Amino acid sequence: MSLIQVINPNTSLAMTETIGAAARAVAAPGTEILAVCPDHGVPSIEGHFDEAIAAIGVLEQVKRGKEQGVSGHIIACFGDPGLLAARELASGPVIGIAEAAMHTATLVATRFSIVTTLPRTLVIARHLLQQYGFTHHCAALHAIDLPVLALEDGSGVAQEKVRQRCIQAKREDGSGAIVLGCGGMASLAQELTKELGLPVIDGVSAAVKMVESLVALGFGTSKHGDLDYPLEKPLSGAFQHLN
């Protein structure tokens, strides 16, 4: 049996439940999902400032996960906050959901579109496309112009806006796949895939299968080179607990 830690980097318990349910829906028999979030930080991640704060919570959860004996970790925010730092700290694989979704999209289509929340987060997605080498694979980026927590308000308005943007992307972009650009959209992928007749990819689900595969192959995060464990040095003040 493998235990995969799914980290929601914001403090929303409702979104953590949504993300955990999506992860469990695709987990293989014998895989247990541990869905967690920080107990301090930001309630939603919608910019560079939020990501900087959230990255500390991610590292705290990775440290806890290691102590609990998890096999691997997933960072369930589309900005992949703290990803490389988390890989330094972890021994098992660490996958970000943006990274997982983009990689998956390139395996099933030559071009993909991204549908995310607020327009201000589009630049973060563009930075990740460049970092991961997928800029030329991405046909277009769309925002529903609603905050992340609108996905958890129970009205269904945000979900319908995601649906409409996905329909628009299929009609206008010439993409073969659509990537959902928020962990809070995780529950929408399967239904939209059926309705639109093309892959609508949720990074949470994709990341679960990637971690499972890496664990089955016996691969953890390489400790040869820059992802070796952090250099030992005394951390002070609020960071002492990360020693």
Side-chain angles (χ1 to χ4, degrees):
M1 187 185 82
S2 60
L3 176 61
I4 297 176
Q5 183 190 46
V6 181
I7 305 168
N8 172 21
N10 72 42
T11 60
S12 168
L13 294 176
M15 189 162 291
T16 303
E17 291 178 6
T18 296
I19 289 167
R24 293 184 187 99
V26 299
T31 296
E32 182 180 349
I33 299 296
L34 176 64
V36 298
C37 67
D39 53 15
H40 57 273
V42 289
S44 58
I45 300 169
E46 295 163 316
H48 305 293
F49 178 86
D50 295 343
E51 284 198 358
I53 293 175
I56 300 301
V58 168
L59 297 179
E60 290 171 342
Q61 293 301 322
V62 168
K63 185 174 185 292
R64 291 181 191 175
K66 284 182 65 179
E67 292 166 354
Q68 293 170 303
V70 305
S71 304
H73 317 260
I74 292 168
I75 300 177
C77 168
F78 201 74
D80 293 351
L83 176 59
L84 293 181
R87 284 181 175 155
E88 283 190 46
L89 197 59
S91 51
V94 185
I95 303 293
I97 64 169
E99 176 185 46
M102 291 176 190
H103 273 283
T104 300
T106 64
L107 298 176
V108 296
T110 55
R111 286 158 57 88
F112 61 86
S113 299
I114 296 174
V115 174
T116 189
T117 52
L118 291 176
R120 69 177 292 164
T121 66
L122 294 175
V123 68
I124 295 174
R126 290 191 180 98
H127 287 167
L128 291 179
L129 286 164
Q130 293 171 354
Q131 180 179 330
Y132 298 148
F134 294 138
T135 299
H136 62 292
H137 289 278
C138 184
L141 297 96
H142 303 267
I144 64 171
D145 202 11
L146 286 175
V148 166
L149 294 183
L151 291 158
E152 299 295 335
D153 67 9
S155 70
V157 171
Q159 285 78 2
E160 179 57 24
K161 282 205 168 189
V162 172
R163 176 178 173 271
Q164 292 298 330
R165 284 290 185 273
C166 287
I167 291 171
Q168 177 188 355
K170 178 182 178 181
R171 183 175 64 244
E172 298 178 359
D173 298 347
S175 296
I178 297 171
V179 166
L180 298 179
C182 178
M185 298 176 183
S187 62
L188 306 178
Q190 189 173 11
E191 182 178 337
L192 288 171
T193 294
K194 292 178 181 177
E195 179 181 354
L196 272 65
L198 83 175
V200 178
I201 299 165
D202 149 47
V204 175
S205 302
V208 168
K209 305 316 288 186
M210 287 184 180
V211 172
E212 285 180 339
S213 296
L214 290 169
V215 170
L217 290 166
F219 295 148
T221 297
S222 174
K223 295 304 168 185
H224 180 75
D226 63 305
L227 295 182
D228 195 359
Y229 295 111
L231 294 174
E232 291 189 14
K233 60 188 71 173
L235 300 178
S236 59
F239 300 103
Q240 284 181 335
H241 65 290
L242 289 173
N243 279 311

